Amino acid sequence: MMTTAEKLTALRRAMVQRGLAAYLVPTDDFHASEYVGDYFKAREYLSGFTGSAGTLLILPSRALLWTDGRYFLQAESQLAGSGIELMRSGEPDVPTLERFLLAELEDGSLLGFDARTVNTALARRLGNKLRTKHIRFAGDEDLVDALWPDRPPLSAAPVWELGIDYAGEARADKLARVRAAMADEGADAFVVTALDELAWLLDLRGNDVACTPVFLGFLLLTKEDAVLCARAGAVGEEVKAALAADGVRLADYEGIYGLVRALPRGTRVLLDGATANYRLTQSVPDGAETLDRPSPIVPMKAVKNAVEQENLRRAHLADGIALTRFLRWLKCDAVREGATELSAAAKLEEYRRESADYLEPSFDPILAYGPHGAIVHYEATEETDVPLEAHGLLLADTGGHYRTGTTDVTRTVALGPVAGEEKRACTLVLRGHLALAAARAGYLHDALCHLMQQLRLYRIGSLIIDLTSVASAGDKPSLAQLPQVVRHRGARHIHQRRNIRHALLAVAQQPENAHAAAVGELLEHVRHGLEAADRLHRFLQLPHRALVAVLVG
């Protein structure tokens, strides 16, 4: 097996042969998915870093990996001895990828990447930044493929129909709604690129990505035609016939690029640059117009019909039963049976699988006992697994996919006596949750400011975190001023978000802290709030994000 150094050396030889000054390896698949199948884990293969977010840049004499605060500790450990420099995104004096490339690459250089794994939004940001130095892109080749002899195959798991009893709306009706939205946008064609949007629109599911019931595919939708480009053999005859009845025909997965290139002059092509890969955008022919806009499917998918709403309730009832049994087992039997983090996760999976509608976990379970609760996105392995004991806190962040819906539940469980500091941390988290739950519209800012005030001075041994002192790069706004401060847009606003986030992370990422699990739970909930607020901001174009989106970014 090749070492990381040997892999990078081989890649650099390929770069020299092609005249590349740098080669970029992101985490994405061909659809900018948050989680990707094993075939797409080229960055992990080259670097050894297994986190779900990160970008690897290879230069002739250096290699660097950018990742966010969730993975600083993990990346530092996994990159040790590899020769790859860790770039802690958002930290002071750490340049963004765009700024680094602008500073490092010479005029007229060639930047290489597989354009299928770089989304259009990123490519355009890079292009705009590097234009002044006339840096060009070479995106037509996957250089990692030749260096990866045992690369997992591109998945082609069977595609199956969800059924109207679960979807609540016929596929033909959804297609009609999307075509109406295309007309409103003035589009003649729409390329559906996000896997979750494709699954929703066609009422189909698959298993091409772990913990995500989606399938690899693109859809080219016009006023009269619909072409699903999917993996050969993934769509069986029964599903194929059902699609044909609704006017959807099949083509090869890689055929999407040729179909887009063949669109006639004058065609107005709608696509979402956040999920459409750069090769796809570059395939739009001369004479056609690209409409790079948010996908109209997202707000449709977000508004649940009556059937979906009832199914979501059923999913949470089923999941609640499994969780209740699990919590009882934790309290009464886990320690006596010699349970560990791994066996506890397996026990919860066992309870969930007793539901007839259960499919799979919605993400890899996080069962983190004691100090492990301080590690963001901790995942127990055979090497890190520890036994549960009759004291202290266990952080359990888990979820399940059901035919009826998806769950994501975080709980901090006291396995026995807990220290005073642990009680205080859990109480602060509870007070914050209650304040958030009671907040309505304009009162959300006040509730979150109150939460910040409770966490403002948090003593950890000799370490004191004062959130108000890091709320701004320059001045120090008071809590009363904070709602106004975070309304500001631009780089300064972003820097404020990062500073506050890093203060919270500094609290949570101290492995010796007794309260780690409690604050870890708080960070998980605020992270989910950020993701939801980002989506809401993007598609409703709010004047400013809710303060929860400013706390951590």
Side-chain angles (χ1 to χ4, degrees), residues 196-460:
D196 60 323
E197 295 177 25
L198 182 65
W200 176 86
L201 178 59
L202 298 181
D203 289 337
L204 300 177
R205 299 293 186 268
N207 195 32
D208 285 334
V209 182
C211 301
T212 311
V214 295
F215 63 98
L216 296 176
F218 300 93
L219 183 73
L220 178 59
L221 187 65
T222 64
K223 297 174 183 177
E224 306 294 336
D225 197 15
V227 184
L228 172 61
C229 297
R231 294 282 291 144
V235 183
E237 291 301 319
E238 185 176 343
V239 174
K240 187 176 180 180
L243 288 170
D246 289 325
V248 181
R249 58 188 177 92
L250 288 175
D252 184 68
Y253 179 56
E254 291 284 349
I256 185 64
Y257 305 101
L259 289 172
V260 171
R261 283 193 295 269
L263 291 171
R265 292 179 62 87
T267 301
R268 305 187 80 208
V269 185
L270 175 65
L271 49 78
D272 188 340
T275 60
N277 68 59
Y278 190 57
R279 180 177 294 183
L280 190 58
T281 307
Q282 294 298 100
S283 298
V284 176
D286 293 339
E289 181 182 356
T290 299
L291 306 178
D292 185 348
R293 299 172 185 172
S295 168
I297 293 176
V298 172
M300 296 181 188
K301 184 164 69 73
V303 179
K304 304 303 180 186
N305 59 49
V307 171
E308 289 174 313
Q309 292 178 38
E310 178 57 30
N311 281 336
L312 283 170
R313 295 185 188 100
R314 290 169 54 196
H316 280 276
L317 282 172
D319 206 58
I321 291 170
L323 281 165
T324 300
R325 297 178 65 193
F326 174 69
L327 292 172
R328 189 264 176 201
W329 174 81
L330 275 179
K331 291 284 191 178
C332 301
D333 301 321
V335 174
R336 178 176 54 81
E337 293 177 7
T340 68
E341 292 169 327
L342 285 175
S343 67
K347 190 70 174 181
L348 178 52
E349 178 71 4
E350 175 187 320
Y351 287 137
R352 282 190 166 121
R353 287 200 174 278
E354 293 183 20
S355 170
D357 283 326
Y358 183 71
L359 298 173
E360 62 179 338
S362 54
F363 54 94
D364 290 327
I366 300 171
L367 274 292
Y369 178 62
H372 286 165
I375 303 173
V376 185
H377 280 209
Y378 169 79
E379 183 181 346
T381 65
E382 294 292 342
E383 292 74 28
T384 65
D385 190 27
V386 296
L388 307 185
E389 299 178 16
H391 63 87
L393 300 174
L394 173 71
L395 174 66
D397 184 2
T398 68
H401 284 306
Y402 298 78
R403 285 180 174 83
T404 46
T406 295
T407 68
D408 181 344
V409 185
T410 306
R411 292 290 181 271
T412 298
V413 183
L415 297 182
V418 294
E421 189 68 9
E422 292 173 315
K423 294 178 182 179
R424 173 173 166 76
C426 287
T427 302
L428 288 173
V429 170
L430 175 59
R431 291 175 65 177
H433 285 189
L434 291 173
L436 288 173
R440 293 293 182 272
Y443 298 105
L444 180 60
H445 285 171
D446 294 337
L448 282 162
C449 283
H450 178 69
L451 172 61
M452 283 188 64
Q453 190 172 29
Q454 298 303 314
L455 287 170
R456 181 171 58 87
L457 291 176
Y458 209 100
R459 182 178 294 275
I460 307 157

Side-chain angles (χ1 to χ4, degrees), residues 39-100:
Y39 174 87
F40 296 103
K41 295 180 179 179
R43 185 223 67 213
E44 178 180 324
Y45 172 74
L46 284 177
S47 68
F49 170 60
T50 60
S52 65
T55 301
L56 179 65
L57 179 68
I58 300 94
L59 301 171
S61 58
R62 297 175 68 185
L64 309 97
L65 185 139
W66 278 259
T67 192
D68 61 60
R70 295 173 295 167
Y71 296 111
F72 288 170
L73 297 178
Q74 178 182 340
E76 185 177 358
S77 173
Q78 292 182 330
L79 296 180
S82 69
I84 299 174
E85 302 170 43
L86 174 58
M87 304 295 282
R88 295 173 172 83
S89 296
E91 290 287 288
D93 302 322
V94 175
T96 63
L97 173 66
E98 298 97 309
R99 289 183 178 179
F100 180 86

Side-chain angles (χ1 to χ4, degrees), residues 5-59:
E6 290 170 337
K7 294 171 187 175
L8 295 178
T9 297
L11 182 62
R12 288 182 174 115
R13 283 198 294 267
M15 290 167 57
V16 170
Q17 293 170 1
R18 292 157 178 81
L20 301 179
Y23 193 76
L24 188 65
V25 184
T27 301
D28 289 357
D29 59 10
F30 301 159
H31 310 269
S33 303
E34 180 179 6
Y35 301 105
V36 301
D38 290 342
Y39 174 87
F40 296 103
K41 295 180 179 179
R43 185 223 67 213
E44 178 180 324
Y45 172 74
L46 284 177
S47 68
F49 170 60
T50 60
S52 65
T55 301
L56 179 65
L57 179 68
I58 300 94
L59 301 171

